[in-house]
Amino acid sequence: MLYALKILLFAAYLAFLCYFLFFAESMGRCFSERTYHYNLMPFKEICRFWVHRQTLGFWSVALNLVGNVVALIPFGMFLPWLYEKCRRFSITVLFCFEFSLFVEITQLVFKVGSFDVDDILLNTLGGILGFCGYRVYVFVRKRMQ
């Protein structure tokens, strides 16, 4: 029963993430005929957001930089929580990277959002933080027993 609940929570998280990444009009996710932008240079957009943080505003910078990290923290926590194979750091990081790459390629193909290599880096960092959170959870749980 507990495993089914974990799967249900993971599915709900993925559904919310899918909506947010591909369909949330408030985030500019629409299939309009606009010029599509992409970034293939690592750290270009991260640096641009940081350098122009005063002009862009706090919320824009936080949404882009922090939001991309936070978005995959649950992914990095759920994987080792659900799948024993993902309890290895390298496997979880690889899955987080692959998932983020899949999202960015999907955005590129369907021209929704924008393909940004920096998003892949930030999302993967979020997955790493999620994995670390999982490891802290396991450590604390073992100490409490």
Side-chain angles (χ1 to χ4, degrees):
M1 180 66 180
L2 182 60
Y3 187 74
L5 180 61
K6 290 177 185 180
I7 292 289
L8 183 64
L9 287 172
F10 188 48
Y13 159 73
L14 289 176
F16 173 76
L17 194 61
C18 181
Y19 170 76
F20 181 76
L21 292 171
F22 301 113
F23 302 106
E25 289 181 16
S26 63
M27 300 302 300
R29 310 293 194 237
C30 58
F31 296 97
S32 64
E33 295 295 323
R34 65 176 176 88
T35 304
Y36 187 78
H37 299 282
Y38 59 89
N39 170 40
L40 301 175
M41 185 182 304
F43 302 105
K44 178 182 176 185
E45 287 298 305
I46 293 171
C47 289
R48 183 178 73 83
F49 270 89
W50 185 253
V51 168
H52 299 288
R53 66 188 177 277
Q54 299 294 344
T55 306
L56 295 169
F58 173 80
W59 290 113
S60 180
V61 174
L63 187 63
N64 187 281
L65 300 181
V66 178
N68 274 304
V69 173
V70 170
L72 256 71
I73 288 175
F75 194 81
M77 291 180 84
F78 272 114
L79 287 179
W81 197 34
L82 291 170
Y83 307 107
E84 190 172 323
K85 182 179 182 180
C86 291
R87 292 185 182 149
R88 289 183 42 212
F89 177 78
S90 58
I91 299 295
T92 298
V93 171
L94 180 63
F95 278 129
C96 290
F97 172 81
E98 289 173 340
F99 180 73
S100 182
L101 181 62
F102 170 77
V103 166
E104 294 299 316
I105 289 173
T106 302
Q107 288 180 333
L108 178 66
V109 169
F110 292 104
K111 294 186 172 147
V112 60
S114 62
F115 181 95
D116 187 351
V117 71
D118 290 346
D119 289 353
I120 296 171
L121 296 172
L122 293 169
N123 291 160
T124 303
L125 175 60
I128 290 168
L129 292 175
F131 181 85
C132 292
Y134 166 78
R135 297 296 296 175
V136 167
Y137 164 77
V138 169
F139 176 79
V140 168
R141 189 167 170 211
K142 283 183 180 180
R143 298 283 260 166
M144 305 263 314
Q145 289 179 347

